Amino acid sequence: MKKLLIALLAVPFLFACSPKVRRVETNLVKDVSGGWNDTDAQMVAQEMITDCLDSGWYNKFLMQKGKEPTLIVGTVTNKTMEHINTGVFIEEMQRALINSSKVNFVASKDERGEVRTERLEQDEFASEETRKAFGKEIGADFMLSGVLNSVVDQAGSKAVVFYQANLKLINIETNQIVWNGQKQIKKYVKRSKVSF
């Protein structure tokens, strides 16, 4: 009887602690914490890739080589004070580049390793007609890399969070930086207890 009473008393507590969840549209802009979020990643990636592809290096490459450049996204370093999954940002940039139809795109270092393992296995297990040969990969002409920085100005329950994304496009053969882009986002956050 005592155990039943404890269990009945615990039920309201369990329901009070359970979160309320509802589905929202994936394109809905919703800032909950004031921190970097998916909307920021999408907006910054789209604007910076548009700027990158509209700058002078692109037409110069087309005129010199007579073909679209091949790109790869390298490392994007998070130097903010918060945890940011830069993988989401990198995927957004890749998507914007591929969907632009202005460049060719090659797989990342990790993806290439997985594909090379598959090719090794095909050498042993696949038929001669369907086996894919080594030495036919397309080398990238340029690598896109960058850094995310932030500055937080906080006083009591109010804070201004400033994000700055810097990206560089580097010629892999010459190490020449052919494009340097920057995008800034500033957020004003007000809440009863702020922790960044």
Side-chain angles (χ1 to χ4, degrees), residues 58 61-62 65-71 101-104 141:
Y58 182 79
F61 184 89
L62 284 178
K65 304 290 184 179
K67 65 180 182 82
E68 291 90 4
T70 300
L71 272 65
S101 299
K102 289 186 167 185
V103 298
N104 297 311
D141 300 303

Side-chain angles (χ1 to χ4, degrees), residues 39-88:
T39 302
D40 300 320
Q42 291 168 4
M43 181 176 67
V44 171
Q46 188 62 54
E47 288 185 27
M48 292 190 84
I49 295 307
T50 299
D51 180 61
C52 175
L53 296 177
D54 287 345
S55 63
W57 73 272
Y58 182 79
N59 286 330
K60 185 177 178 182
F61 184 89
L62 284 178
M63 287 175 55
Q64 287 177 347
K65 304 290 184 179
K67 65 180 182 82
E68 291 90 4
T70 300
L71 272 65
I72 188 169
V73 175
T75 305
V76 176
T77 307
N78 175 20
K79 291 192 176 179
T80 69
M81 293 179 284
E82 63 188 272
H83 172 73
I84 294 176
N85 182 351
T86 56
V88 173

Side-chain angles (χ1 to χ4, degrees), residues 158-178:
K158 299 174 186 175
V160 174
V161 187
F162 174 79
Y163 294 100
Q164 182 169 294
N166 293 304
L167 295 177
K168 293 179 181 179
L169 189 66
I170 302 167
N171 183 312
I172 292 177
E173 190 170 53
T174 65
N175 282 337
Q176 178 188 12
I177 298 171
V178 298

